[in-house]
Amino acid sequence: CYLTASTTQEEKTLYRSANFQLISDISVTFDEGKTGEHYSGVFLVAALLIYVSKGDGAISSQESDEMLATMTTHLSISNAEALESLRKAIMLLPDDRHAAAKLRSIGHELSQSQRRHVLQLMFNIAGVDGDHHAGELNSINMAAKVLGLSKSEVSLARQAAG
């Protein structure tokens, strides 16, 4: 179920707390050598938003501002935590050849409705500068595969995004 324009503020608050508060509680550990790497659901959202934002070649200031606002609003985290998660995603993902597998593992901890909502957030970020660029749409399609979402779910989310 997607939040719509006719959804009341109270319904939005209840929906977010029921569906997205848990994202911040998700933690997946990957054992690599002597120490395990810990990744959270918040990191997953940050990584996917960064990936989509970079799809058209660069992250605009509008996209950056919207990613920060989206994470604090939808994940109920502080500005500092959102910034740190975005910074970590920017720093770690380009050098990690297992990034897609790690993101897929974290994504499988989300419910189907949470995955769909993250997809909607990606469309919102991609369209914040007034257009869904081809590179951003390709990134969204790849991110949807990582989340285990179907092409029809991507089409529905795109229609909802406008």
Side-chain angles (χ1 to χ4, degrees), residues 44 93 96-106 142 146-147:
L44 168 74
L93 291 180
D96 191 344
R97 62 188 173 111
H98 302 293
K102 290 177 181 177
L103 293 174
R104 188 175 297 113
S105 294
I106 301 166
M142 292 301 294
V146 166
L147 290 172

Side-chain angles (χ1 to χ4, degrees), residues 87-128:
R87 185 199 65 77
K88 183 178 178 182
I90 289 170
M91 299 301 290
L92 292 179
L93 291 180
D95 297 330
D96 191 344
R97 62 188 173 111
H98 302 293
K102 290 177 181 177
L103 293 174
R104 188 175 297 113
S105 294
I106 301 166
H108 284 276
E109 298 294 321
L110 273 60
S111 70
Q112 193 68 11
S113 76
Q114 287 173 323
R115 292 178 202 180
R116 288 179 184 140
H117 196 85
V118 170
L119 177 64
Q120 194 66 52
L121 296 177
M122 289 186 288
F123 273 109
N124 293 346
I125 296 296
V128 76

Side-chain angles (χ1 to χ4, degrees), residues 56 62-63 123-134 136-137 158 162:
D56 63 353
Q62 291 171 306
E63 290 168 331
F123 273 109
N124 293 346
I125 296 296
V128 76
D129 54 5
D131 193 19
H132 291 105
H133 300 281
E136 291 170 329
L137 293 175
R158 184 171 183 190

Side-chain angles (χ1 to χ4, degrees), residues 19-40:
N19 289 291
F20 286 92
Q21 190 62 34
L22 296 178
I23 289 178
S24 59
D25 294 335
I26 292 171
S27 179
V28 176
T29 301
F30 300 97
D31 292 322
E32 294 182 1
K34 295 181 180 179
T35 60
E37 294 178 337
H38 302 281
Y39 294 95
S40 68

